[in-house]
Amino acid sequence: MIFIIDGILENMALEGKRYFSPHYIISAAETQGVELSLKEVTEYLLSLVPNKIKVHYEMECPNGDSDFEIVSPHDFIEETKICHICSVEYITNLDRIWVYFDFTPEYIDFLKKKRITPNSRRDLLLI
């Protein structure tokens, strides 16, 4: 499972993908014939924070809009809000938090350097 996720992440980072959810990883694995659970993917992605990826949390309003970012679900406070997108009033709820990820610049740089192997450097010099 870990190797599948790592491969998907490497490809995404090199392709410039940003701001992805665990669901995206699950869908990408399914195209390879691999079934992954939301829990195992989320837990693995969280284990890569802060070295390879950053984690973000956003509160979703009842209409499904991403209303505001929160620092951590552990600091969550239930309160009444008005969505800045659709203007609906709602009470924040831990079950309505979106989790998404982005790559650290250091990880992207590492992958770019990793792609240039000693043989590819030599080949570039011959061109």
Side-chain angles (χ1 to χ4, degrees):
M1 177 227 20
I2 290 172
F3 298 114
I4 296 292
I5 296 173
D6 284 341
I8 292 168
L9 290 173
E10 282 189 23
N11 289 334
M12 289 170 52
L14 291 170
E15 292 171 0
K17 301 242 189 273
R18 301 196 60 205
Y19 306 113
F20 56 93
S21 73
H23 295 285
Y24 186 90
I25 304 295
I26 292 168
S27 294
E30 286 174 353
T31 64
Q32 299 178 31
V34 177
E35 260 188 61
L36 300 172
S37 76
L38 180 60
K39 181 180 179 185
E40 68 186 345
V41 170
T42 303
E43 287 175 356
Y44 182 66
L45 292 175
L46 288 171
S47 78
L48 300 177
V49 174
N51 298 324
K52 292 183 179 182
I53 58 179
K54 301 177 270 187
V55 64
H56 301 273
Y57 304 96
E58 287 188 359
M59 181 59 60
E60 176 187 49
C61 83
N63 289 335
D65 294 316
S66 176
D67 190 20
F68 63 94
E69 190 166 348
I70 60 173
V71 175
S72 168
H74 302 292
D75 299 332
F76 175 78
I77 298 171
E78 189 175 284
E79 59 187 327
T80 301
K81 290 280 198 177
I82 297 176
C83 178
H84 77 283
I85 296 173
C86 68
S87 302
V88 69
E89 184 176 338
Y90 67 101
I91 298 174
T92 58
N93 182 324
L94 270 175
D95 293 334
R96 303 291 299 201
I97 294 176
W98 290 357
V99 178
Y100 66 96
F101 300 89
D102 191 13
F103 298 105
T104 63
E106 297 81 11
Y107 179 61
I108 293 169
D109 289 343
F110 167 77
L111 290 176
K112 287 178 181 177
K113 290 175 187 171
K114 180 179 158 183
R115 283 178 77 179
I116 299 177
T117 63
N119 287 339
S120 66
R121 282 192 192 126
R122 184 197 59 170
D123 294 341
L124 287 173
L125 292 174
L126 295 174
I127 295 175

